[in-house]
């Protein structure tokens, strides 16, 4: 390397090294990052597969929130794929709609564990929208649904298959069951949405407004402007259909 090239290389690299050292050792910078993370709003969806109301909600209102990149920049979105299931004395999960629901809940638990949110959300939405078009009684059709979603979304199905067949998925589902049982107050139906642990009950259609109200950070978000709050809102007909389709806890 020529002396001129060496000089140019050092000219570029030394400032970068200096910046890395300064940022990593600057407590003020670290505090800004911590404060930005701390100000995020926690949104949790407790849901279950084979519940029409859950599928409709993921497709509509939750989808609207997720597709709003500005709002998602202040949100920690957490899925809880357990719903109205319960854990019996043998540590076996019993689902409201039987083994097919447990199967898909476990598959989606695996997706949440194996993939980042942008992949797992797309996958769960694909599966749940597909459920709306399938028969609950057709085991083979339901069990092939998630594979079709992997193909459609160009996702590798092997991590999900391994997660399910190894028993890891069942352990994940049991963990979600413990989390669901620990919710205070207990959920009355699904989809059950909480914002910073406060349940929205039937006001789930206004989840974006609740996110804006709960946000205590310094960002000025256009999405939280009152005039823009209902641009992507669910229609009243869709709201009525969803409220009729929720799945109540036994």
């Amino acid at each position: 390397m020529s002396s001129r090239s060496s000089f140019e290389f050092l000219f570029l690299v030394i400032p970068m090294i200096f910046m890395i050292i300064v940022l990593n050792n600057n407590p003020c910078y670290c505090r800004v990052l911590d404060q930005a993370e701390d100000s995020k709003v926690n949104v949790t969806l407790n849901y279950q597969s084979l519940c029409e109301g859950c599928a409709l909600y993921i497709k509509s209102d939750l989808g609207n929130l997720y597709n709003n990149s500005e709002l998602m920049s202040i949100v920690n979105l957490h899925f809880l794929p357990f719903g109205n299931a319960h854990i019996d004395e043998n540590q076996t999960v019993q689902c409201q709609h039987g083994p097919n629901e447990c199967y898909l809940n476990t598959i989606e638990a695996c997706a949440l564990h194996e993939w980042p949110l942008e992949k797992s959300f797309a996958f769960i939405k694909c599966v749940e929208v597909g459920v709306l078009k399938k028969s609950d009684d057709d085991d083979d059709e339901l069990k092939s649904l998630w594979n079709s979603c992997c193909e459609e979304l160009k996702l590798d199905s092997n991590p999900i298959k391994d997660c399910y067949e190894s028993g890891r998925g069942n352990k994940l589902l049991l963990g979600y069951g413990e989390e669901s049982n620990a919710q205070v107050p207990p959920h009355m139906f699904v989809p059950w949405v909480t914002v910073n642990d406060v349940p929205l009950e039937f006001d789930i259609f206004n989840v974006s407004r609740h996110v804006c109200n709960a946000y205590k950070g310094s960002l000025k978000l256009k999405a939280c402007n009152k005039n823009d709050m209902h641009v992507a809102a669910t229609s009243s007909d869709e709201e009525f259909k969803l409220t009729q389709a929720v799945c109540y806890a036994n």
Side-chain angles (χ1 to χ4, degrees):
M1 183 181 291
S2 68
S3 59
R4 180 178 178 180
S5 298
S6 299
F7 176 78
E8 290 175 346
F9 176 77
L10 292 173
F11 181 79
L12 292 171
V13 170
I14 290 175
M16 293 175 64
I17 295 173
F18 176 76
M19 285 295 292
I20 292 171
I21 293 172
V22 169
L23 293 178
N24 284 343
N25 292 277
N26 187 336
C28 294
Y29 177 76
C30 293
R31 281 199 299 272
V32 169
L33 290 180
D34 291 341
Q35 289 169 0
E37 190 64 28
D38 289 343
S39 65
K40 282 196 170 186
V41 180
N42 296 314
V43 177
T44 298
L45 171 67
N46 193 343
Y47 76 104
Q48 65 193 33
S49 195
L50 301 188
C51 173
E52 183 182 6
C54 293
L56 289 172
Y57 189 71
I58 292 169
K59 177 185 176 183
S60 57
D61 287 81
L62 194 69
N64 291 338
L65 172 64
Y66 182 79
N67 290 329
N68 189 318
S69 58
E70 189 181 33
L71 281 180
M72 282 302 296
S73 71
I74 63 166
V75 167
N76 288 318
L77 180 59
H78 178 58
F79 283 86
L80 210 173
F82 195 80
N84 298 325
H86 69 275
I87 302 171
D88 66 20
E89 63 276 6
N90 297 317
Q91 288 297 290
T92 301
V93 178
Q94 303 291 341
C95 293
Q96 189 172 36
H97 297 96
N100 283 338
E101 180 198 315
C102 278
Y103 175 79
L104 290 178
N105 286 352
T106 306
I107 290 295
E108 293 179 11
C110 285
L112 290 163
H113 182 264
E114 298 296 330
W115 292 328
L117 184 60
E118 60 266 23
K119 291 184 178 180
S120 57
F121 182 90
F123 175 80
I124 290 170
K125 182 178 178 181
C126 178
V127 171
E128 292 307 311
V129 170
V131 162
L132 292 174
K133 305 172 184 176
K134 305 292 184 183
S135 168
D136 292 1
D137 300 324
D138 194 331
D139 293 9
D140 293 335
E141 192 175 31
L142 286 172
K143 289 183 177 181
S144 67
L145 176 60
W146 72 268
N147 279 292
S148 298
C149 285
C150 284
E151 292 176 5
E152 179 182 330
L153 298 168
K154 296 180 172 55
L155 297 170
D156 181 6
S157 63
N158 287 319
I160 307 304
K161 182 180 179 182
D162 178 67
C163 174
Y164 181 82
E165 293 181 350
S166 68
R168 188 163 65 252
N170 185 60
K171 292 180 181 179
L172 291 170
L173 195 62
L174 287 169
Y176 282 124
E178 293 176 0
E179 184 180 349
S180 177
N181 292 336
Q183 285 190 306
V184 179
H187 74 273
M188 298 184 294
F189 55 82
V190 290
W192 186 257
V193 181
T194 63
V195 173
N196 286 347
D197 296 324
V198 178
L200 304 189
E201 299 187 6
F202 275 112
D203 204 27
I204 55 177
F205 310 108
N206 293 310
V207 61
S208 294
R209 176 169 58 80
H210 285 283
V211 165
C212 289
N213 290 341
Y215 178 62
K216 304 305 179 186
S218 59
L219 295 176
K220 304 299 181 183
L221 303 176
K222 182 179 183 297
C224 291
N225 186 307
K226 290 183 179 180
N227 295 326
D228 297 323
M229 283 301 298
H230 299 291
V231 171
T234 300
S235 71
S236 57
D237 287 343
E238 288 176 315
E239 288 185 10
F240 176 79
K241 185 177 181 180
L242 200 158
T243 56
Q244 299 303 304
V246 301
C247 296
Y248 285 91
N250 293 330

